[in-house]
Structures are given as structure tokens and as C-alpha cells.
């Protein structure tokens, strides 16, 4: 049987005739698509993003307590990337990597407050260059004055536009004073994380209110895109990249009362893991995250709030998927769901993210839509660095050379298999943010091959886990003769990465480290 191919050699493509007004905007495109007709392996793409969703707290991931019917249905009709990892287990550096397919150390944005340079090629910019309408509703967490980075339209923007150093007459002293006021507020409770644990409760929080608006605007603009009464004459014929990005289930651990009470009744306390040879950075985190005055009731309430937020955001996702169905174009969409990083939720006495245990660094990830095998799970390691190349591949576009990751579209379509021996990375740098260029910084780099995970804390401590027989990560095998070969291989893989730097502080380098990388 002869399968018709489109202009990119992709089977089953639909040809879209784009009228002259769009053609005028595409003069800079490659010659193959800059004529009167633009040929695309066209699928519309809906990307749904949440913030701080643990890979284990989802029905499709095997959680027996949480109720996530909408994500479960999406997983059933698509493919789950069961070992998908963030490139950085904290919001902004991790999101910068998602946007660009590059490690934070490459971008010069290794720390939370670093601004993504506007010249960085992002996935919305890449798809927009080839004729996609790129629209985002909700959280991007861009710092600084550039709040677009390739999005052509943001009808409902962010609640967290951080970084003011670009402003005229910027007063850093005043900002430090404000920071000190917040610090006192949190320290009244023993720190930021204890504050979150001690204030967990039923109710409504600003993040819930923000996400309600994200849902409303996402549903509205999905509908409007295909409305000939509102849209430009050509717009409904233009392929769409649409992102709905939610702030929850990020703490505070506050959720609607009915959900809070339900999970208070059913959730157990975290299992106690008697892990030996624990790195000092983790011991310090345990003491700061969950000090002695944190009670079992605090832990139960915080977990109830978190599980409740996961269910609540699943309901928002369901509303967006319903709105997509109502457009009559749902079968033309590919849908990608993921989160920026996970949540420890009390496991190991840790909360939030910023570490390399599975609950923090791995993220739930689903791809569904035409040509994606239903009910499948891929267990090979994948990374947020793969998102930009994969979106390009799914759209039938060239993969930009700047991307570090892998185009997973042939794997998702069942045409090839992933290399089981590929090594993926994640990294975390909190040092050097203020007046401490090296000193007391907390850093770490993870390399994972197959089910073997190596974590270097950049201070002489390290961890090695064999997840094939230690899913709880309770046995640190670092230094074990039986694993010396793979440990050396993963150490060398990290050593071969470029030296981390900071785009706004070009002199900042990670040079004073015991292992000389």
C-alpha cells in the first residue's frame, strides 16, 4: 500500500493551505515552506503542565489513594513515559531546560533567579517559525521583562513575574529589605517548609484562584481559536500549539474542604526508611524541612492538602480536555502532559523538591493522540531535554541543533526503540546566588543509566542506587566494588559536561570542587 507523504516525508499528513496574510509573515522560513502553500505534518498540539506533581501520586502511576480520573483516561489512550526526569528539580532552571532542550549549565541559568536569555531558542519560537500559532495560558515562571520567549499570544499571563534588576532606578537595597521581611515571617514558623506544614488546611489559596482563571481562559481561547466569528480569517487553518500551565499542586498545602477531609481519612503517614550512609546535605535538609516540632498531625494535614491539590488540578485538566472535545477538532490534537518537577511529600522526612530522589526529580509524563499507541508504557529513561526535539518531531519539523535532548516521536509512534543505555542528567545549583560565590553552596548532579542512578553532591558525598531492586533508594551503593565500573562511567559522563556558568554573572564558575568537575 502506498502511503502519501507530506513535504517533510512524513506519512498521513494533512495539507493546509495558508492564505496570503500568513505567507507574508513567513518570508524568513526555509524555501521548502515559504511558498503560497505551506505543507506541514500538521497536528495541533495541546501541552498541559502542572507544578510540583510527584510521579507517584497519580492513579495511572499506581497510587491507591489519589483520584485522578482525567489523567488516568489520558494515560489509557496514550503512552506513559514511566522514567521521565526533570533536568533540574526546581522551578525556573527546570522550566528553562524544558523550553530550550538544554541543560541549565549550558544556558547560564543554573540558579532559581537567573533569567532565560531572550536569544535562547525555545519550542514555541521554533514552532512559530514554521507557521504554528503559539498560545500559552498560565504559568511560565519567566524572570524579567521578557514574558514571551516565543509565545505569540498569552491571553492570561503569569502570577510570578520575578526579577526587577532591568528596571530603571532599581533599588537592590529595598528588595533586600523586603526579602528580610518575608524571611522573618517564615522564620516565625521555623523556616519556609515548616511554615507550609504548619499552615496546611482546608480552604482556598491564591494558587487555586489563579488556576481557576487558567482553566477558564484556556477553555475560552481553545473555543475561540476555531471560531470564524472571532478569529482572523486564516487562523483556524493554522496549526496550533496551545499550552495550559497550572500552578498547583505546588504548596501551600491548602485544598477544598471536601478533598482535604477525604485524604485526611485515607492517607497513611510516609513509610520510614532506615537509609544508611546518608549525605550531609540530605541530613541538613531533613532537619530544616521537618524539625522536631513538626508533629504527625502536621504531616497528615500537609499530605492531605497535597493529595487534594493533585485531585483538584486533575479536575481542571478534565475541564480543558472537555473544552477541546467541544471544538470538534480533538482528533487533530496531540496532547502532552507533564510537570516541572516532583514533590517529596514527607518521604524521607523531606518536602518539596531540590533533590534527586525519585519523588522530586522524576515527573509524570503522558503523550496521547493520533498515531500514539494507546495503553503503552515506555520504561527507558527520558528527560525534559527531550521535549523540544520531540515536539518538533511530532509536528514534522526539523529538530534544532541547539537542543541537547532526543526526538522521541519515532519511539512514540512505534517506529523505533530508545537506547536503553542512554545517560540522562539532572542538576541543582543553589550556591553563588548572593555574596557566597562558592562557600556554603548546596549543589548536586545526577546521572542515570538504565536503573542505575549516581548522585554527586559536589562536596565529596555521593549516592548510587540500583532501582531495579531498590525502588525506595534505601541502599547507597557508592563505593561498592560490584558497581565500580558503572560508577566510574557515570562520574565520567558528568565530568564531560561543560562547566556551569551564569549568564548574568559571567565570572561565576564551579571550580572549587573536590572532584574537579
Amino acid at each position: 500500500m502506498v502511503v502519501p507523504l507530506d513535504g517533510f516525508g512524513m506519512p498521513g499528513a494533512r495539507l493546509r493551505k495558508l492564505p496570503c496574510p500568513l505567507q507574508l509573515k513567513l518570508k524568513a522560513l526555509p524555501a521548502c515552506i515559504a511558498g503560497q502553500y505551506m505543507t506541514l505534518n500538521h497536528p495541533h498540539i495541546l501541552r498541559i503542565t502542572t507544578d510540583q506533581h510527584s510521579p507517584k501520586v497519580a492513579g495511572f502511576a499506581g497510587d491507591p489513594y489519589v483520584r485522578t480520573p482525567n489523567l488516568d483516561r489520558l494515560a489509557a489512550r496514550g503512552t506513559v513515559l514511566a522514567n521521565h526526569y526533570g533536568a533540574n528539580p526546581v522551578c525556573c532552571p527546570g522550566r528553562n531546560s524544558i523550553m530550550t532542550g538544554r541543560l541549565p549549565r549550558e544556558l547560564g541559568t543554573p540558579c532559581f533567579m537567573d533569567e532565560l536569555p531572550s536569544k535562547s531558542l525555545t519550542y514555541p519560537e521554533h514552532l512559530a517559525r514554521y507557521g504554528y500559532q503559539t498560545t500559552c495560558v498560565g504559568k511560565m515562571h519567566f524572570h524579567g521583562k521578557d514574558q514571551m520567549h516565543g509565545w505569540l499570544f498569552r491571553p492570561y499571563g503569569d502570577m510570578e513575574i520575578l526579577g526587577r534588576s532591568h528596571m530603571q532606578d532599581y533599588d537592590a537595597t529595598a528588595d533586600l529589605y523586603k526579602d528580610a521581611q518575608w524571611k522573618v515571617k517564615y522564620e516565625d514558623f521555623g523556616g519556609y517548609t515548616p511554615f507550609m506544614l504548619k499552615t496546611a488546611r482546608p480552604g482556598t489559596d491564591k494558587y487555586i484562584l489563579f488556576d481557576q482563571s487558567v482553566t477558564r481562559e484556556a477553555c475560552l481561547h481553545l473555543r475561540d481559536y476555531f471560531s470564524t466569528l472571532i478569529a482572523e480569517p486564516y487562523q483556524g487553518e493554522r496549526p496550533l500549539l496551545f499550552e495550559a500551565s497550572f500552578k498547583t499542586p505546588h504548596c501551600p498545602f491548602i485544598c477544598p474542604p471536601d478533598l482535604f477531609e477525604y485524604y485526611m481519612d485515607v492517607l497513611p503517614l510516609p513509610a520510614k526508611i532506615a537509609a544508611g550512609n546518608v549525605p550531609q546535605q540530605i541530613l541538613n535538609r531533613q532537619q530544616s524541612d521537618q524539625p522536631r516540632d513538626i508533629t504527625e498531625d502536621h504531616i497528615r494535614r500537609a499530605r492531605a492538602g497535597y493529595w487534594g491539590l493533585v485531585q483538584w488540578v486533575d479536575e481542571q485538566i478534565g475541564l480543558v480536555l472537555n473544552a477541546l472535545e467541544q471544538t470538534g477538532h480533538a482528533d487533530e490534537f496531540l496532547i502532552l502532559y507533564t510537570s516541572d518537577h516532583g514533590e517529596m511529600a514527607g518521604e524521607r522526612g523531606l518536602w518539596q523538591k531540590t533533590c534527586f530522589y525519585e519523588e522530586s526529580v522524576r515527573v509524570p509524563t503522558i503523550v496521547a493522540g493520533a498515531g500514539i499507541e494507546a495503553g503503552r508504557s515506555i520504561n527507558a529513561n527520558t528527560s525534559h531535554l527531550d521535549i523540544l526535539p520531540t515536539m518538533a518531531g511530532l509536528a514534522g519539523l526539523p529538530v534544532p541543533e541547539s537542543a541537547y535532548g532526543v526526538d522521541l516521536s519515532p519511539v512514540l509512534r512505534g517506529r523505533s526503540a530508545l537506547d536503553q543505555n542512554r545517560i540522562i542528567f539532572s542538576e541543582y545549583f543553589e550556591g553563588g546566588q548572593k555574596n557566597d560565590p562558592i562557600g556554603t553552596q548546596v549543589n548536586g548532579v545526577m546521572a542515570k543509566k538504565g536503573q542505575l542512578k549516581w548522585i554527586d553532591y559536589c562536596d565529596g558525598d555521593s549516592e548510587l542506587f540500583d532501582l531495579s531492586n531498590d525502588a525506595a533508594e534505601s541502599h547507597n551503593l557508592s563505593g561498592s566494588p560490584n558497581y565500580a565500573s558503572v560508577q566510574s562511567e557515570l562520574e565520567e559522563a558528568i565530568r564531560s559536561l561543560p562547566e556551569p556558568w551564569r549568564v548574568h554573572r559571567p565570572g561565576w564558575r564551579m571550580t572549587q570542587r573536590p572532584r574537579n568537575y
Side-chain angles (χ1 to χ4, degrees), residues 61-119:
D63 186 296
Y65 307 106
V66 76
R67 299 178 294 192
T68 52
N70 297 294
L71 287 175
D72 296 348
R73 280 194 292 270
L74 189 64
R77 57 177 282 224
T79 293
V80 174
L81 301 180
N83 283 293
H84 189 86
Y85 291 82
N88 188 297
V90 72
C91 302
C92 299
R95 287 171 180 267
N96 291 339
S97 287
I98 294 172
M99 291 289 290
T100 62
R102 300 170 66 189
L103 285 165
R105 65 172 65 213
E106 274 191 295
L107 293 168
T109 61
C111 299
F112 177 80
M113 288 298 295
D114 293 329
E115 296 179 21
L116 178 64
S118 294
K119 65 181 180 180

Side-chain angles (χ1 to χ4, degrees), residues 394-416:
L394 291 172
L397 303 178
V399 174
E401 294 182 359
S402 60
Y404 187 89
V406 172
D407 174 11
L408 303 177
S409 61
V411 179
L412 292 166
R413 288 170 170 150
R415 299 173 188 163
S416 65

